[in-house]
């Protein structure tokens, strides 16, 4: 995964509350002992919440 390899500096997520019944785990495979996520920004609206995280090595 690119997060474990240190190839990502920052990422953004657009989170929308829609239930599909199944899905893919977003952080599956991330080694929490090597990667720290720092919340940078959260911008809520009525339909979507935009989340931004900085990625730092531990």
């Amino acid at each position: 995964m690119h997060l474990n390899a240190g190839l990502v500096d920052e990422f953004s997520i657009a989170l929308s509350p829609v239930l599909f019944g199944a899905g893919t785990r977003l952080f599956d495979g991330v080694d929490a002992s090597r990667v720290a996520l720092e919340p940078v920004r959260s911008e809520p609206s009525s339909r979507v919440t935009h989340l931004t995280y900085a990625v730092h090595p531990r």
Side-chain angles (χ1 to χ4, degrees), residues 4 7 9-10 15 19 25 31-32 36-38 41 44-45 48:
N4 292 332
L7 301 175
D9 295 326
E10 184 177 278
L15 180 63
L19 298 177
R25 297 180 80 137
D31 185 352
L37 301 179
E38 175 190 354
R41 190 170 30 261
S45 72
V48 64

Side-chain angles (χ1 to χ4, degrees), residues 1-36:
M1 170 155 259
H2 298 300
L3 285 176
N4 292 332
L7 301 175
V8 177
D9 295 326
E10 184 177 278
F11 63 93
S12 297
I13 299 170
L15 180 63
S16 182
V18 177
L19 298 177
F20 291 111
T24 303
R25 297 180 80 137
L26 184 60
F27 297 107
D28 200 26
V30 174
D31 185 352
S33 68
R34 296 178 62 193
V35 176

